[in-house]
């Protein structure tokens, strides 16, 4: 675990000491500042962390540490230390890349406080957020409405937890056991009592033995799609019998044997639900759930997987009049707010010409050594256009008496199709908004949806087709709502600092490394 140092270094609680000569022999050939980490706020420091109480008594600090001399790490040499000196290395220094600083390890336990943020005015310029109130706000009300709530929750597959144990070194071991985690997860689901659940990283054996029976006992109908290949987890959408009827189930497999690009086992799931309301013309709602590829350097795969999901949503949500029914799209998109992939979802368009493959999701800041996205990203035989819809191949009409198309005609058709697809512009036809704003308005501090030993960022989202303002109205006139969903409320998110006060995620009360996202919507009938 600690190949940099010999085996006889001494442990001081979670920290380590080693004789100076060992450190010099083992790692002086490398620039020591590049392999040391500062155990406080900054991720890297220009010098190692010294603790004077661990040095021998006859050691005298070198002059470079005197107050009259500014510290300059490039003048630091082993000559300044005696051969009997000990150097103190915090456990964060000693641990491998990705472990959390010791300053973030909290010894005390506690619970995180989340509250409902009620949004009473749909006009974004006049949105009002209320604090922790246990009563619904006085939002506009009408008999011709249907209110429902949606939760999106990556519940952390136990197999994935154990395969990536380095992400959970900050956790006490007992809280990582499935027998401890599942009751907590079920308790959260019961407490929030959402009408629709979109769950990711649902392990197949746990789903069959515990998750599905437990949710069915709470009044949910469950649909599940396991990842392809040997992956043991997948996505589930569960909804209350009392609120919806199921019209169709549409699983989406992102693995395609005939497309070399699509060699990953991620999946999506799209349901068409009908609200149970006493209405002659009951509307329908399309609910989608997915977990896109994690790999930060495969933005080409991420965008293609997203395009496949959007194409399926377009097919399922399309109505006879050419419009789309209201859409809720949930999941772990493994992309951060403001990234090209995120912007594509919200804005409906993306010009990816010259975009580095690792910049798509925003998970990595450096594009060093990364290739540029090809144009087009996916091959024509995927059958999905640059507008993220399924292509309908239109062949020339041929009389029964005619022979088949000649090879020359087929070649011409293929060339035309290829030329049409050489655009670097992606589009989709939905008007999607994010339930969350991703930053706290008063401080600008980012919200986070996942927090473990390596990172604390937002990768989980609830997108929805928002009501549109009638653009024909004059300025200052009342807002005209013409279809779509209205966001009534959302469960607040937290900062990274908030989560480290309870030792990050998972912890004694929150048993996934992700937070559940929760929103309340209204559908005007």
């Amino acid at each position: 675990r600690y190949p940099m140092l010999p085996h006889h270094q001494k442990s001081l609680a979670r920290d380590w000491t080693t004789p100076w000569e060992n450190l010099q022999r083992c790692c002086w050939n490398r620039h020591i500042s590049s392999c040391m980490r500062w155990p406080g706020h900054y991720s890297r420091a220009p010098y190692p962390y010294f603790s004077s109480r661990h040095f021998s008594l006859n050691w005298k600090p070198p002059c470079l540490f005197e107050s009259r001399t500014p510290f300059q790490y490039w003048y630091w040499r082993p000559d300044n230390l005696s051969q009997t000196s000990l150097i103190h290395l915090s456990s964060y220094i000693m641990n491998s890349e990705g472990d959390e600083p010791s300053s973030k390890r909290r010894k005390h336990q506690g619970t995180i406080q989340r509250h409902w943020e009620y949004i009473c005015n749909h006009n974004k310029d006049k949105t009002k957020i209320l604090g922790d109130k246990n009563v619904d706000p006085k939002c506009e009300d009408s008999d011709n409405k249907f209110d429902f709530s949606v939760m999106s929750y990556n519940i952390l597959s136990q197999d994935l937890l154990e395969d990536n144990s380095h992400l959970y070194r900050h956790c006490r071991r007992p809280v990582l056991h499935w027998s401890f985690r599942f009751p907590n997860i079920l308790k959260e689901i019961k407490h929030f009592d959402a009408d629709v659940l979109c769950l990711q990283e649902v392990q197949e054996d746990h789903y069959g033995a515990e998750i599905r029976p437990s949710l069915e006992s709470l009044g949910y109908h469950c649909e599940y799609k396991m990842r392809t290949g040997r992956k043991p987890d997948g996505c589930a959408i569960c909804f209350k019998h009392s609120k919806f009827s199921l019209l169709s189930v549409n699983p989406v497999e992102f693995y395609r044997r005939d497309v070399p690009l699509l060699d990953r086992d991620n999946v999506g799931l799209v349901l068409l639900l009908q609200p149970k309301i006493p209405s002659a013309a009951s509307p329908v709602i399309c609910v989608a759930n997915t977990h896109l590829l994690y790999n930060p350097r495969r933005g080409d795969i991420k965008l293609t997987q997203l395009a496949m999901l959007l194409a399926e949503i377009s097919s399922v949500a399309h109505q006879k009049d050419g419009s789309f029914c209201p859409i809720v799209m949930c999941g772990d998109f493994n992309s951060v707010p403001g990234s090209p992939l995120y912007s594509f979802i919200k804005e409906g368009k993306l010009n990816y010409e010259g975009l580095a493959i690792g910049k798509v999701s925003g998970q990595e800041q450096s594009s060093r050594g990364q290739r540029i996205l090809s144009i087009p990203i996916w091959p024509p035989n995927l059958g999905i256009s640059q507008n993220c819809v399924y292509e309908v191949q239109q062949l020339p009409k041929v009389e029964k008496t005619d022979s088949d198309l000649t090879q020359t005609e087929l070649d011409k058709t293929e060339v035309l199709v290829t030329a049409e697809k050489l655009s670097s512009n992606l589009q989709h036809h939905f008007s999607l908004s994010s339930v969350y704003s991703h930053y706290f308005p008063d401080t600008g501090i980012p919200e986070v949806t996942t927090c473990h030993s390596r990172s604390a960022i937002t990768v989980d989202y609830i997108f929805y087709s928002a009501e549109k303002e009638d653009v024909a109205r004059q300025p200052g006139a009342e807002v005209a709502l013409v279809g779509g969903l209205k966001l009534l409320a959302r469960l607040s998110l937290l900062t990274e600092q908030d989560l480290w006060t309870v030792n990050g995620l998972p912890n004694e009360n929150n048993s996934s490394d992700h937070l559940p996202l929760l929103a309340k919507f209204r559908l005007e009938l």
Side-chain angles (χ1 to χ4, degrees), residues 276-467:
K276 289 185 175 180
I277 51 177
S279 174
S282 178
V284 293
I285 299 172
C286 179
V287 179
N289 183 23
T290 192
H291 188 177
L292 299 185
L293 177 70
Y294 165 75
N295 191 336
R297 299 193 174 190
R298 292 310 304 266
D300 52 346
I301 298 179
K302 292 175 190 272
L303 280 174
T304 306
Q305 290 179 346
L306 177 61
M308 296 172 73
L309 180 69
L310 292 173
E312 187 64 28
I313 293 173
S314 179
S315 176
V316 172
H318 191 267
Q319 301 187 110
K320 293 180 179 179
D321 62 357
S323 63
F324 296 101
C325 70
I327 296 165
V328 178
M329 184 171 71
C330 302
D332 181 342
F333 290 83
N334 274 314
S335 301
V336 303
S339 66
L341 187 144
Y342 172 89
S343 299
F344 173 52
I345 294 174
K346 286 196 65 178
E347 297 173 8
K349 59 184 179 180
L350 173 66
N351 185 344
Y352 60 86
E353 183 176 4
L355 180 62
I357 194 171
K359 289 287 191 179
V360 170
S361 64
Q363 294 163 284
E364 288 191 346
Q365 297 301 314
S366 173
S367 58
R368 175 174 50 89
Q370 296 176 6
R371 62 181 175 86
I372 302 300
L373 286 171
S374 60
I375 302 176
I377 298 174
W378 56 83
N381 64 321
L382 182 59
I384 294 177
S385 74
Q386 300 293 287
N387 292 329
C388 298
V389 297
Y390 292 124
E391 289 181 321
V392 179
Q393 189 174 4
Q394 298 183 8
L395 295 176
K397 293 182 179 180
V398 181
E399 298 292 337
K400 291 182 179 180
T401 56
D402 290 348
S403 60
D404 293 337
L405 288 172
T406 65
Q407 185 61 42
T408 303
E409 291 172 325
L410 288 173
D411 290 342
K412 288 180 179 179
T413 302
E414 184 177 351
V415 169
L416 288 174
V417 171
T418 302
E420 292 174 357
K421 292 186 177 180
L422 287 180
S423 170
S424 61
N425 292 300
L426 294 181
Q427 293 183 329
H428 68 75
H429 300 296
F430 313 123
S431 176
L432 298 176
S433 295
S434 173
V435 164
Y436 291 91
S437 57
H438 314 308
Y439 296 90
F440 289 90
D442 296 335
T443 63
I445 298 175
E447 300 171 334
V448 300
T449 66
T450 181
C451 179
H452 50 63
S453 292
R454 180 164 291 179
S455 65
I457 55 175
T458 287
V459 293
D460 307 278
Y461 303 93
I462 300 177
F463 296 104
Y464 67 102
S465 50
E467 292 178 317

Side-chain angles (χ1 to χ4, degrees), residues 148-162:
F148 65 102
S149 56
V150 177
M151 172 188 282
S152 181
Y153 195 5
N154 182 326
I155 64 173
L156 181 56
S157 158
Q158 189 67 22
D159 279 6
L160 291 177
L161 182 156
E162 293 170 5

